[in-house]
Amino acid sequence: MNRDHIKPLFVVAGLYDGLLGLIFFFAHPSIFAFFEITAANHPAYIEFPALLLVIFGAMFFQIASDPKRFRFLIPYGIALKFCYSGLAFWYEITSEIPFVWVPWAWFDLVFIVAFYLAWKTLSGNAKAA
């Protein structure tokens, strides 16, 4: 990965997760109604993960501010993206999941690859492409 692409990558990731988190925190009833998804039995089951996305969004902005210095945080971002995409794909394969969740799993899969390439590039052991 080209080092010049790393900062923009994490800015995009920060915007993506931060905005998704805020949207789901404030508008989850409307989103669930629109997509005809059964809501959780308590809003906290949606609001808590939504706020976690906002926190991860802030972490991605922190990484973007100085990718080399904050390289150690990138595996946490990879883990976040793996948890979501892994669960979404697992339920898509083994049972069912509302389709609205699947495209985001694909986006997260792309982020996993990009984050890993950024992490390797910043290690100093990988050549910048």
Side-chain angles (χ1 to χ4, degrees):
M1 171 174 277
N2 186 318
R3 288 181 184 266
D4 293 336
H5 297 142
I6 295 173
K7 281 186 179 191
L9 167 66
F10 285 100
V11 169
V12 168
L15 289 169
Y16 175 84
D17 280 352
L19 290 174
L20 272 178
L22 290 172
I23 289 167
F24 272 92
F25 183 81
F26 290 110
H28 61 87
S30 299
I31 295 167
F32 278 46
F34 180 81
F35 288 104
E36 299 178 351
I37 298 170
T38 304
N41 68 353
H42 193 281
Y45 290 123
I46 304 303
E47 293 168 353
F48 177 69
L51 291 175
L52 287 177
L53 279 180
V54 173
I55 291 168
F56 271 93
M59 182 188 78
F60 293 138
F61 286 128
Q62 185 74 46
I63 295 168
S65 74
D66 189 344
K68 185 71 173 167
R69 178 177 174 204
F70 295 110
R71 176 184 179 267
F72 72 94
L73 295 173
I74 296 173
Y76 295 102
I78 293 170
L80 169 75
K81 300 300 185 181
F82 179 78
C83 288
Y84 179 79
S85 62
L87 284 171
F89 290 136
W90 173 257
Y91 285 110
E92 184 183 33
I93 292 166
T94 62
S95 56
E96 64 182 60
I97 187 170
F99 180 75
V100 67
W101 308 120
V102 177
W104 290 325
W106 284 104
F107 290 138
D108 278 0
L109 197 58
V110 170
F111 276 121
I112 289 168
V113 172
F115 289 178
Y116 176 76
L117 293 173
W119 183 76
K120 288 296 284 181
T121 298
L122 293 166
S123 73
N125 297 329
K127 285 185 179 180

